[in-house]
Amino acid sequence: MSAATTSRVHQGRRSASRCTVFDETMLGTLRLDGEHQEHHEHHEHRDGPDGRDGRDRRDRRIRLDLTVSADRVMRPWGTTEARAAGRVRITGLADDPNAEGELEISPLARRRIRYRIAFTAGGRRLTLDGWKSVSPRRPVASMTVLPFTLYADGAPMGTGTLRFPLSTQLLPFLASFRFPRPHEPGAFLASRWRGELGRTEVWYTTVTDPDTGSGLWLHHELTAPVDGSQPYAHGWAAVFPEDGPVRHARFGPVPWSGAAPGFDADEVTSRPGRLSGSADEGALHWDIAERPAGEPLFTFPRWSWNRPLLPAAHMLPAARSRYDGTFTHDGRTLTLSGAPGASARIYGHGNARRWAWLHADLGDGDVLEVVAAVSTRPGLRRLPPMVFLRLRRQGRDWPRRPERGAVGWAGAGRFRADTALPTWRVTGRTALRRIRIEVTQPADRTLVLDYTDPDGRHATCRNSERADAHVLLERWWFGGWRTEAEWTLDGTAHAEVGTR
């Protein structure tokens, strides 16, 4: 069972209220109606009139790994509505890491805890619906046993029972409880710019379509020139098809209005829950809904986002998101349904002297974000790349502090980056863990673009939304390094290398 992520940050006044976040794992069996009847008739003459043995062999194993979040502290004597997200696995039927639904937690007022979890299996949308009937006469059993019915298109298709395994999951379950402060939806999408000269602000989104293997990149940018001329909004959209060349088009520049929350440039918008726009006279057109599926992730120290003391700051309003909608390019329409990706924010003085970036959705709620950069400021430009690395695994962020990879211990033990293409690498270690990342950006899957800084200077980026990556995480254990986790991404990593 993974631990719940607890990073929630406010801009502006902090609310005194708290949320509730916890994780729960349940195991059990499912019987599909058609299989039950068919196998019952086949084995009735051999196994007795109840057909017990034959039906048991038809049971499918089911496992739920859920992260549950409520907008307030739960009160056992009341009713709490909560959201659930996680993974549903059913032997031979489903393995959906993007399941989502809701819980009604009312152990005393209504004496039940109800679950409604929707997930995808074989292209169909299924719903698991059931509740724990809380009884003071059987407090343990009633709080740990969940009978349920499985529905497809509103019609029942099977029944089953899930159980919370006390012996293995009670301690992780209790340890996963967190009571973070809430953050307002879309709070991190509001513009940071307050009229300063020489600033760049970016809203960007990267998506992988699991059905076609295509990658998407939507880049929205505000530039405030150092010479005091009018700030302008611009950007580009790009699609990286699996079966063809990269296609991109720019939009803007247009004067910056700053009237809407998020980014708004003519007909191109990036607002809470929605991305829409067009480029190249409509040859590229998109209308995409965004569903955050993770807590904010601060690649740089979180104080650097609230207090812009560093040359730049980078963060993700949600470490993971899911995307639904359409992206049309040159008469071809890409339809997204629960596609994984993320949106990120940058605010600073312009592009670095050199930089490398990686976003990798590692599955099962794990995500890796890397920014390695050399500053343009005097004194810093001669240093090797400073590495800001955030690995969110099983709900925990490593290293514990973002500064660890960039500055090490008093300048020693910093993480290292070699940003040469086509394959670049990042390595680093803390006291008990070390990581090695290798990213490959094939030339035919890489887009070369020109960036213009607020001072008019130019930089070149090489971006691939279909990069390959290999990540090895090791842990020191009894005198040696042992593999703790390993991931290989084939065309689903999002990466970029920039130079001047």
Side-chain angles (χ1 to χ4, degrees):
M1 182 190 322
S2 63
T5 302
T6 63
S7 303
R8 292 184 185 252
V9 178
H10 275 287
Q11 289 180 298
R13 184 177 62 85
R14 295 175 67 89
S15 170
S17 63
R18 294 278 183 169
C19 299
T20 303
V21 182
F22 65 89
D23 288 348
E24 184 177 24
T25 292
M26 287 184 288
L27 311 174
T29 58
L30 164 69
R31 296 178 182 178
L32 298 180
D33 291 340
E35 292 180 345
H36 178 159
Q37 182 65 27
E38 175 186 352
H39 209 68
H40 172 74
E41 294 173 353
H42 179 71
H43 284 271
E44 187 176 18
H45 71 279
R46 187 176 63 187
D47 297 325
D50 62 355
R52 183 184 305 277
D53 293 339
R55 288 199 305 273
D56 287 346
R57 286 196 296 269
R58 279 298 194 179
D59 287 351
R60 295 173 182 260
R61 294 184 178 181
I62 179 172
R63 175 180 176 130
L64 262 64
D65 294 285
L66 300 176
T67 296
V68 180
S69 56
D71 291 333
R72 61 184 178 87
V73 176
M74 289 192 304
R75 298 175 176 85
W77 56 87
T79 298
T80 302
E81 303 291 340
R83 299 174 299 278
R87 185 176 184 180
V88 175
R89 283 173 277 190
I90 304 175
T91 303
L93 180 65
D95 186 355
D96 186 357
N98 303 316
E100 57 186 5
E102 60 272 348
L103 268 69
E104 177 195 273
I105 306 172
S106 185
L108 298 180
R110 299 179 180 175
R111 292 190 177 183
R112 71 179 187 183
I113 303 175
R114 184 170 185 173
Y115 296 70
R116 285 183 56 86
I117 308 299
F119 59 98
T120 300
R124 293 188 301 171
R125 197 64 173 166
L126 308 183
T127 301
L128 184 153
D129 189 358
W131 59 84
K132 301 172 182 176
S133 298
V134 180
S135 170
R137 292 180 296 178
R138 299 181 299 109
V140 176
S142 63
M143 290 286 289
T144 58
V145 178
L146 172 66
F148 68 87
T149 302
L150 187 65
Y151 294 89
D153 300 323
M157 61 177 292
T159 58
T161 303
L162 284 159
R163 290 177 171 84
F164 178 80
L166 285 170
S167 60
T168 59
Q169 295 297 330
L170 180 59
L171 289 180
F173 171 73
L174 296 175
S176 74
F177 270 82
R178 299 292 186 270
F179 303 95
R181 295 184 182 274
H183 66 273
E184 297 177 5
F188 296 109
L189 292 184
S191 176
R192 298 296 314 280
W193 186 63
R194 297 296 181 267
E196 306 95 333
L197 301 181
R199 295 293 190 274
T200 295
E201 185 167 13
V202 177
W203 299 253
Y204 73 82
T205 299
T206 59
V207 183
T208 296
D209 178 33
D211 294 333
T212 65
S214 300
L216 297 179
W217 181 23
L218 301 175
H219 181 102
H220 315 81
E221 184 171 323
L222 158 66
T223 300
V226 297
D227 61 7
S229 56
Q230 186 177 30
Y232 58 92
H234 68 110
W236 50 84
V239 57
F240 295 69
E242 189 175 37
D243 58 352
V246 180
R247 173 72 162 96
H248 84 285
R250 294 181 181 263
F251 52 83
V254 297
W256 172 253
S257 65
F263 179 91
D264 192 341
D266 201 6
E267 296 182 353
V268 178
T269 62
S270 176
R271 297 176 181 173
R274 178 69 59 176
L275 302 126
S276 62
S278 62
D280 193 11
E281 298 181 345
L284 275 68
H285 178 84
W286 59 96
D287 187 9
I288 301 172
E290 181 179 55
R291 294 180 285 122
E295 299 302 313
L297 181 65
F298 290 84
T299 320
F300 287 37
R302 65 181 60 192
W303 56 259
S304 68
W305 184 254
N306 296 319
R307 301 175 183 84
L309 302 177
L310 298 180
H314 180 279
M315 63 86 61
L316 288 76
R320 300 176 300 117
S321 292
R322 293 293 176 260
Y323 296 86
D324 306 285
T326 58
F327 186 100
T328 301
H329 62 101
D330 305 311
R332 300 176 58 184
T333 298
L334 183 67
T335 301
L336 306 176
S337 179
S343 289
R345 299 279 280 108
I346 303 172
Y347 186 71
H349 294 260
N351 294 288
R353 185 178 181 87
R354 301 198 320 272
W355 73 89
W357 161 78
L358 170 69
H359 174 79
D361 190 321
L362 305 175
D364 295 332
D366 299 341
V367 65
L368 174 65
E369 196 79 15
V370 179
V371 174
V374 177
S375 174
T376 59
R377 292 186 177 181
L380 298 178
R381 66 182 63 171
R382 298 183 180 277
L383 296 176
M386 301 182 72
V387 178
F388 294 91
L389 182 150
R390 310 300 289 146
L391 172 63
R392 179 165 290 174
R393 179 170 179 262
Q394 297 179 348
R396 303 288 187 183
D397 293 345
W398 178 84
R400 181 177 297 180
R401 298 191 62 85
E403 301 92 328
R404 172 62 186 84
V407 301
W409 295 294
R414 293 184 300 187
F415 287 24
R416 299 179 180 275
D418 176 4
T419 59
L421 286 174
T423 299
W424 56 276
R425 299 171 179 84
V426 172
T427 58
R429 60 167 291 185
T430 57
L432 296 177
R433 281 190 175 94
R434 70 181 183 185
I435 194 168
R436 178 178 177 83
I437 304 165
E438 186 174 276
V439 182
T440 301
Q441 299 182 213
D444 61 341
R445 292 187 245 154
T446 298
L447 174 64
V448 181
L449 281 176
D450 178 73
Y451 283 60
T452 302
D453 282 336
D455 61 4
R457 293 187 297 174
H458 294 271
T460 301
C461 88
R462 292 167 173 82
N463 178 286
S464 176
E465 303 302 322
R466 294 189 58 244
D468 303 326
H470 180 258
V471 181
L472 176 63
L473 179 67
E474 297 176 300
R475 187 180 181 88
W476 182 262
W477 188 257
F478 289 111
W481 291 102
R482 298 186 181 182
T483 298
E484 182 176 354
E486 189 171 7
W487 299 272
T488 298
L489 284 74
D490 184 11
T492 60
H494 307 270
E496 180 177 291
V497 171
T499 57
R500 290 186 181 274

